[in-house]
Amino acid sequence: MEESSRRKSSRKGDKDPFCVLHKLPSGDTPYVRAKHAQLVEKDPEVAIVLFWKAINAGDRVDSALKDMAVVMKQLDRTEEAIEAIKSFRSLCSKQAQESLDNVLIDLYKKCGRIDEQIDLLKQKLRLIYQGEAFNGKPTKTARSHGKKFQVSIKQETSRILGNLGWAYMQKSNYMAAEVVYKKAQMIDPDANKACNLALCLIKQARNTEARSILNEVLQSNIPGSEDYKAQNRAQELMLEVEPRWLPPSTKMKIARFDLEDDLIDGLEKLLNEWAPSRTKRLPIFEEISSYRNQLAC
């Protein structure tokens, strides 16, 4: 069957088997042709040109802008993708803004714009505790590898905190990363964030605390601990916390802790609302509030 015949069939309302096979939208619009170039012809440069045409024509702008940014990232045109999202996201619906933020955060991460990544992650956290995330709903539908699944606001909060903690670690702000990871573990604990928390403590020469957390992972007491990658990472980190001598003059320079008061207050409010989830918390994940009097915000 020729391509034109397939598209004519789709316009009559029939489900095109070719489109179903390749998970393509039906029709003959710039966006459909862009997806065909991206997924079938494997020609990202042509796909980008067609995505631009779709945006200019008002054809599925939400999807066209997001998909174009993803293709640009694959071609290492990350800075261009960032500017495209910033310039044209005003054309997108309110419902698309969260997914565009997620793409933007990923782009900032790829090109090393850590400060902007941190600012956007904090903004997403504020939307959560102000009740504006997920368009005010407790869950949202997400997609991964072609499969749909439900994500709760708790899971999303923990995920964002995990990303924020990792961003702080890239700036060697281990105290801020520690606090963020501990909050994430209070909400939705997992082995990956536990290992990251242990690494934060190792970087602060607090090996005894790190060892306790790593033992919990190695004993499979934290969700996700059964994964072999988590076990391998915990074992590697455990090698770093063996007793070792440090000169008395060695001092650790602690980076400025810069979580704003309003962000901390908002997260504390959420934790209070989600109090039952604290029963899942391990003893090592002690209350964070005591840090606020010790840190210069």
Side-chain angles (χ1 to χ4, degrees):
M1 181 186 292
E2 295 181 356
E3 183 66 24
S4 60
S5 299
R6 282 195 290 267
R7 288 170 179 164
K8 287 178 182 177
S9 174
S10 67
R11 283 197 293 269
K12 293 179 181 179
D14 297 332
K15 199 68 174 179
D16 187 347
F18 181 83
C19 292
V20 172
L21 176 64
H22 293 279
K23 299 181 180 179
L24 294 173
S26 299
D28 189 24
T29 66
Y31 178 74
V32 173
R33 294 198 298 271
K35 293 299 290 183
H36 189 277
Q38 176 193 5
L39 301 176
V40 180
E41 298 171 5
K42 307 293 184 183
D43 192 336
E45 296 288 356
V46 171
I48 289 172
V49 171
L50 291 170
F51 280 131
W52 272 124
K53 288 185 178 180
I55 293 168
N56 291 328
D59 177 24
R60 305 196 191 190
V61 178
D62 292 2
S63 297
L65 182 56
K66 182 175 66 174
D67 291 346
M68 183 179 70
V70 170
V71 175
M72 285 179 170
K73 177 191 171 188
Q74 293 169 349
L75 295 178
D76 290 325
R77 294 165 60 178
T78 310
E79 297 285 352
E80 186 179 349
I82 291 171
E83 293 309 311
I85 291 179
K86 287 184 174 181
S87 298
F88 294 96
R89 68 182 305 167
S90 61
L91 301 177
C92 298
S93 66
K94 181 180 179 182
Q95 290 73 23
Q97 299 304 316
E98 282 191 27
S99 60
L100 286 173
D101 280 342
N102 290 335
V103 174
L104 200 53
I105 288 169
D106 196 36
L107 293 170
Y108 285 146
K109 181 178 180 180
K110 181 175 175 63
C111 65
R113 292 166 63 167
I114 305 301
D115 288 334
E116 288 162 290
Q117 182 187 357
I118 288 173
D119 288 342
L120 191 48
L121 288 166
K122 288 181 179 179
Q123 177 182 318
K124 288 177 73 68
L125 287 171
R126 289 191 179 93
L127 289 176
I128 288 175
Y129 72 69
Q130 290 168 359
E132 298 177 18
F134 291 10
N135 296 309
K137 299 178 181 179
T139 63
K140 74 171 182 179
T141 301
R143 185 188 296 272
S144 177
H145 303 294
K147 296 182 179 180
K148 293 183 178 179
F149 57 95
Q150 291 296 309
V151 177
S152 71
I153 199 72
K154 285 186 181 182
Q155 291 171 322
E156 180 71 355
T157 303
S158 182
R159 183 188 71 82
I160 294 172
L161 285 169
N163 289 338
L164 181 58
W166 188 250
Y168 276 127
M169 289 182 70
Q170 305 315 296
K171 293 177 66 67
S172 300
N173 193 343
Y174 301 116
M175 182 175 284
E178 174 194 348
V179 173
V180 168
Y181 277 127
K182 284 184 175 179
K183 285 185 178 295
Q185 291 297 83
M186 290 177 185
I187 297 169
D188 188 29
D190 69 60
N192 181 57
K193 289 194 289 289
C195 287
N196 287 340
L197 174 56
L199 180 57
C200 290
L201 296 169
I202 291 171
K203 294 294 185 180
Q204 297 176 72
R206 291 158 60 189
N207 289 353
T208 300
E209 296 170 72
R211 187 183 296 109
S212 297
I213 296 173
L214 293 172
N215 277 329
E216 295 292 343
V217 176
L218 293 172
Q219 294 169 16
S220 298
N221 292 333
I222 300 176
S225 299
E226 66 281 356
D227 183 80
Y228 77 94
K229 292 182 180 179
Q231 287 289 315
N232 288 344
R233 188 165 181 230
Q235 290 173 10
E236 290 172 0
L237 289 171
M238 188 65 85
L239 294 176
E240 298 188 33
V241 298
E242 292 301 316
R244 57 190 177 188
W245 179 84
L246 286 176
S249 60
T250 300
K251 301 280 186 180
M252 169 157 290
K253 183 179 180 181
I254 298 178
R256 178 179 178 271
F257 181 82
D258 60 356
L259 284 179
E260 295 91 336
D261 283 344
D262 70 316
L263 187 58
I264 295 177
D265 290 339
L267 291 172
E268 286 297 331
K269 182 179 179 182
L270 277 183
L271 287 171
N272 289 334
E273 292 175 358
W274 297 337
S277 69
R278 295 191 180 206
T279 58
K280 302 176 184 178
R281 189 181 64 205
L282 295 171
I284 191 65
F285 302 129
E286 67 270 16
E287 293 288 350
I288 308 296
S289 57
S290 61
Y291 279 85
R292 298 182 60 182
N293 296 326
Q294 303 174 28
L295 305 172
C297 295

